[in-house]
């Protein structure tokens, strides 16, 4: 879909939604899974996108938190 630049379009709609789940994998680690949905339309043309995200968190001590992440959003 070829959309005009959204800032220059005379009529436009846009919206987004983000959902996330956190799974405790152990006492010191967890896994976060997320998904972002975006919607936009200009001049009667619409498009959507879904961008996944995953993050692994390790707490080796109470003062230190390590993150490894991958995602589009």
């Amino acid at each position: 879909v070829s959309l005009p630049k959204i800032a220059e379009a005379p009529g436009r709609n846009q919206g987004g939604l983000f959902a996330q789940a956190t799974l405790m994998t152990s006492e010191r680690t967890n896994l976060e899974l997320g998904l972002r949905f975006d919607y936009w339309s200009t001049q009667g043309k619409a498009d959507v996108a879904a961008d996944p995200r995953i993050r692994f968190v390790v707490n080796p001590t109470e003062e230190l938190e390590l993150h490894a992440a991958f995602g589009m959003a």
Side-chain angles (χ1 to χ4, degrees), residues 7-65:
E8 299 172 0
R12 63 184 183 261
N13 292 303
Q14 60 194 43
L17 175 69
F18 182 76
Q20 179 174 307
T22 301
L23 308 169
M24 299 296 293
T25 52
S26 77
E27 188 176 302
R28 295 191 179 267
T29 64
N30 63 54
L31 184 64
E32 298 175 0
L33 305 171
L35 188 60
R36 179 179 173 91
F37 293 99
D38 288 298
Y39 162 84
W40 60 96
S41 68
T42 57
Q43 300 172 343
K45 296 179 182 176
D47 204 359
V48 295
D51 299 310
R53 188 187 91 124
I54 186 168
R55 181 167 74 155
F56 185 68
V57 182
V58 178
N59 296 328
T61 69
E62 288 189 24
E63 296 82 26
L64 181 62
E65 187 173 273

